Amino acid sequence: FPGGATDPELLARKAEMPPDKFSEWHLGIPVPPSGRVFTEFSPLVHIQTWKYDPELPIYVGIDPGYSGQPSRYAVVVCQIDVKGVWRVFDMVYVDHMKGDLVAKECTYRPWWGNKDKKFVIDTAASAQTGVPETHEDIWRKSVGANLGHQKVMIMPGTVRLASMFRQGVDGQAKLTIDPSCRGLIAELGGGLDPLSGQARVYSWMKNAQGEIVGKTPHDRYNDAIKALTYLLVGVLGWADERAERPNIRVKRWGKRAA
């Protein structure tokens, strides 16, 4: 298209095609697969470039990824812009890495120097499970971070995150993700997994005919999604405004351990 983004023929095709199909065919953005949990997520709408702003607080969601399914240790890092839009701008997404090394990896990122940081982790990370230290202990001792947590059930958490992908009253997205956060984007169905190069999409269970069955999704390919969900619930509360607001201790940046 010689006219680039404003080429008349390209604009005509854009007007005739569904947005996701247009983005796949002409912008190189894949259409998310069927059966994914978060059908509200659209790469064309929710993937937007965002850089760290040192003037804004940092919000960090953590999921150690120790379920019995194939899992990753995921750290999702967000800021909220002046319009109230959540911006996921950085993440750590690794396999077979110990918690202290993941925590130290975060200290190398430019945003770590921001003194106004809030951390939320999977509530299971605070439980003693036969290991000498919990993940909360590891983060506190290795990098001096105090982590808040609370129990988040699958479906209420899903509703909370899904609500963020719907447009606000001003027609703008309430949450966007920087394209560098490929692990989260892959779990949502917007691309391939950055570690395996394969599709790893958080999806509903389906029968042999490809029909969705059951009331809960497969508990796999959702570690970054869980990290973001814990964070949203911890900071914003539940999506249903009639529900009780959670009593979570979202802690600010603590003193570095000696």
Side-chain angles (χ1 to χ4, degrees), residues 2 5-6 8 16 20 29 34 38 70 76 85 89 96 99 113 120 132 150 168 188 193 206 220 240 250:
T6 59
E16 296 171 353
D20 285 351
I29 302 174
S34 63
F38 291 98
V76 175
V85 177
F89 72 93
H96 304 300
V120 179
Q150 82 163 72
L188 291 166
D193 172 59
K206 294 191 288 186
R220 63 182 182 185
D240 185 351
V250 179

Side-chain angles (χ1 to χ4, degrees), residues 46 80 109 140 145 163 167 213 225 232:
H46 299 110
I80 305 174
R109 305 296 174 97
R140 183 177 61 255
S163 73
Q167 293 180 331
V213 296
I225 286 173
L232 291 170

Side-chain angles (χ1 to χ4, degrees), residues 116-136:
D116 193 357
K117 296 194 289 294
K118 303 172 182 66
F119 300 83
V120 179
I121 194 169
D122 178 6
T123 188
S126 65
Q128 295 288 348
T129 56
V131 295
E133 293 181 313
T134 68
H135 283 275
E136 282 195 3

Side-chain angles (χ1 to χ4, degrees), residues 36-42 45-46 152-168 172-177 184 188 202 204 217 225-226 228-230 232-233 236-240:
R36 64 194 174 106
V37 173
F38 291 98
T39 56
E40 301 87 353
F41 170 75
S42 169
V45 174
H46 299 110
V152 177
M153 301 301 290
I154 293 175
M155 293 316 298
T158 299
V159 171
R160 170 74 276 179
L161 180 51
S163 73
M164 300 299 290
F165 290 128
R166 301 189 187 103
Q167 293 180 331
Q172 302 299 312
K174 291 181 283 188
L175 183 147
T176 63
I177 305 167
L184 175 59
L188 291 166
Y202 187 36
W204 296 98
I225 286 173
K226 285 182 177 179
L228 180 56
T229 301
Y230 302 146
L232 291 170
V233 171
L236 298 177
W238 304 107
D240 185 351

Side-chain angles (χ1 to χ4, degrees), residues 10-239:
L10 183 62
L11 292 176
R13 295 189 184 186
K14 183 177 182 180
E16 296 171 353
M17 300 173 66
D20 285 351
K21 183 63 68 175
F22 176 82
S23 67
E24 180 179 43
W25 285 19
H26 298 294
L27 302 181
I29 302 174
V31 173
S34 63
R36 64 194 174 106
V37 173
F38 291 98
T39 56
E40 301 87 353
F41 170 75
S42 169
L44 194 61
V45 174
H46 299 110
I47 299 179
Q48 298 182 21
T49 300
W50 171 254
K51 301 299 181 184
Y52 164 57
D53 185 341
E55 301 299 320
L56 298 175
I58 297 291
Y59 300 88
V60 184
I62 304 166
D63 183 80
Y66 37 51
S67 69
Q69 299 291 340
S71 59
R72 305 280 166 76
Y73 204 123
V75 180
V76 175
V77 188
C78 309
Q79 291 188 297
I80 305 174
D81 71 11
V82 295
K83 296 182 180 180
V85 177
W86 281 68
R87 308 283 192 177
V88 183
F89 72 93
D90 193 20
M91 71 179 305
V92 178
Y93 195 70
V94 293
D95 200 6
H96 304 300
M97 182 179 288
K98 293 182 178 180
D100 60 332
L101 297 180
V102 174
K104 287 187 180 297
E105 170 62 28
C106 290
T107 67
Y108 304 140
R109 305 296 174 97
W111 55 265
W112 188 261
N114 190 317
K115 296 301 181 181
D116 193 357
K117 296 194 289 294
K118 303 172 182 66
F119 300 83
V120 179
I121 194 169
D122 178 6
T123 188
S126 65
Q128 295 288 348
T129 56
V131 295
E133 293 181 313
T134 68
H135 283 275
E136 282 195 3
D137 294 333
I138 290 171
W139 278 77
R140 183 177 61 255
K141 292 180 180 180
S142 61
V143 298
N146 293 318
L147 280 56
H149 65 270
Q150 82 163 72
K151 188 175 182 63
V152 177
M153 301 301 290
I154 293 175
M155 293 316 298
T158 299
V159 171
R160 170 74 276 179
L161 180 51
S163 73
M164 300 299 290
F165 290 128
R166 301 189 187 103
Q167 293 180 331
V169 294
D170 58 356
Q172 302 299 312
K174 291 181 283 188
L175 183 147
T176 63
I177 305 167
D178 187 83
S180 65
C181 300
R182 296 171 56 202
L184 175 59
I185 292 171
E187 291 181 1
L188 291 166
L192 297 178
D193 172 59
L195 302 183
S196 68
Q198 300 176 353
R200 290 171 54 104
V201 184
Y202 187 36
S203 302
W204 296 98
M205 296 182 184
K206 294 191 288 186
N207 59 22
Q209 290 72 42
E211 301 167 330
I212 294 175
V213 296
K215 296 182 179 180
T216 57
H218 280 289
D219 186 21
R220 63 182 182 185
Y221 310 150
N222 58 355
D223 300 293
I225 286 173
K226 285 182 177 179
L228 180 56
T229 301
Y230 302 146
L231 183 59
L232 291 170
V233 171
V235 176
L236 298 177
W238 304 107

